[in-house]
Amino acid sequence: MPPPRPAAAGEPPLDPPTAVVFDADETLLDLRPAVTGALVAVLEEMRRRTPAAAAVRLADLEADWGAVFGALSAAPVQEIRRAALARSLARAGLDHHLDELAALFFARRFALTRPFPDALPALAALRRRHLLGFATNGNSRAERCGLAGEFSFELYAHENGLPKKPAPEFYAAVVAAAGLPPDRIVYVGDSPEHDVAAAQRAGLRAVWLNRPGLPRPPGLAPDTEVSTLAALPEVLARLVPAKA
C-alpha cells in the first residue's frame, strides 16, 4: 500500500507523517459472529458424525475456549483454538477428528469474518493524511478478512519471533515498521491493557475504541476514547501535534 498522498493543489500542506496502526479483532473486524458461525458449523458436523454429540451445546463449545485460554494465553491463537476444539470434540468421543474439524472451523471463521461497517470508510479517510498499519495478536490476516491492500505494513504476533501484546517488543516492531518516532504513531484498539496501556508504555499515542460504552477501568488514561472509527479523522487532527 502506498504512503499517504501529497496534498493536492488548493489543500493545506500535510503535517509531518503520522502512522495510525490498528488492532484487528473487535476493532476493525467483527469477530464474534464469525466465531459463533464457525462453532455452529463444527457442532453440526459433530452431530452428523455421532449421536453422542446430541447432548453437546453451542454454549459448551464457547466455554471450552475460556477453559483452555488461561494456560495458553501466550501461545498462537490457532493453537489455543485447536486446544479448545480438542476439548469440545472429547465431549462426544471425536478426539481423532481434530484436524478435520479444526480445518472446518477455520474455513468458516475466515469466510464469515467481515470488517465493521465503519472500518473501510475510516481507513479511506485516514489514508489521505496518515500511514496506516495493522498489528495484531490474532490470526485475522488482513487478506482473508476483507482488508486486503489497506495497509502500508502488517505485523502478526508469533511471526518471525514477534511476541504478543502487551510485550514491549511487539510495540518496538510497530515503531520499526512505521519508521517514525513513537510519538508520531497512534495505536487504535479495543483492549484497555493490550492496546492502550501497553502502547503508551512504549511511547505511542493510544486511542481506546470503546464500542459498547464500557466504564473506563481505573488508572486507564487513553489519549482519547471513541465509540466509532468514524470519529478518528477528527480526533487525530487534534491528537498528534505538528512538528517542524
Side-chain angles (χ1 to χ4, degrees), residues 8 24 29 35 51 89 127 132-133 135 137 142 156 175 201 207 221 232 244:
L29 299 170
V35 169
L89 296 178
R127 187 175 297 108
L132 300 185
N137 275 358
Y156 299 91
V175 172
R201 288 195 295 269
V207 173
L232 281 179

Side-chain angles (χ1 to χ4, degrees), residues 24-37 81 109 112-114 116 139-140 145:
D25 300 333
E26 305 305 332
T27 296
L28 292 174
L29 299 170
D30 192 4
L31 184 63
R32 290 186 187 278
V35 169
T36 299
R81 178 55 67 186
R109 173 257 200 265
L112 295 171
T113 303
R114 297 287 184 273
F116 283 105
N139 59 352
S140 290
C145 299

Side-chain angles (χ1 to χ4, degrees), residues 1-4 18-22 28 119-135 149-154 177-178 180 185-186 188 232 236:
M1 196 71 195
T18 301
V20 185
V21 185
F22 291 87
L28 292 174
L120 292 176
L123 294 176
L126 291 168
R127 187 175 297 108
R128 300 178 65 243
R129 302 185 69 87
H130 304 280
L131 186 77
L132 300 185
F134 184 77
E150 293 290 333
F151 306 101
S152 294
F153 64 88
E154 300 172 17
L180 295 169
I185 303 170
V186 179
V188 181
L232 281 179
L236 289 176

Side-chain angles (χ1 to χ4, degrees), residues 11-59:
E11 289 185 342
L14 300 184
D15 293 336
T18 301
V20 185
V21 185
F22 291 87
D23 170 57
D25 300 333
E26 305 305 332
T27 296
L28 292 174
L29 299 170
D30 192 4
L31 184 63
R32 290 186 187 278
V35 169
T36 299
L39 290 177
V40 167
V42 169
L43 183 57
E44 289 174 349
E45 183 62 14
M46 290 172 63
R47 290 173 174 171
R48 188 186 72 79
R49 292 182 181 226
T50 176
V56 181
R57 303 167 300 150
L58 177 62

Side-chain angles (χ1 to χ4, degrees), residues 41-147:
V42 169
L43 183 57
E44 289 174 349
E45 183 62 14
M46 290 172 63
R47 290 173 174 171
R48 188 186 72 79
R49 292 182 181 226
T50 176
V56 181
R57 303 167 300 150
L58 177 62
D60 296 324
L61 272 65
E62 293 171 334
D64 286 336
W65 171 268
V68 304
F69 183 82
L72 297 174
S73 59
V77 171
Q78 190 165 357
E79 289 185 15
I80 303 172
R81 178 55 67 186
R82 281 181 61 89
L85 289 172
R87 183 182 175 95
S88 300
L89 296 178
R91 295 176 180 274
L94 292 171
D95 316 54
H96 54 297
H97 291 289
L98 176 60
D99 287 345
E100 300 163 67
L101 293 185
L104 172 63
F105 173 87
F106 287 113
R108 292 300 295 154
R109 173 257 200 265
F110 281 112
L112 295 171
T113 303
R114 297 287 184 273
F116 283 105
D118 58 359
L120 292 176
L123 294 176
L126 291 168
R127 187 175 297 108
R128 300 178 65 243
R129 302 185 69 87
H130 304 280
L131 186 77
L132 300 185
F134 184 77
T136 175
N137 275 358
N139 59 352
S140 290
R141 298 199 66 87
E143 72 275 9
R144 297 190 68 181
C145 299
L147 295 171

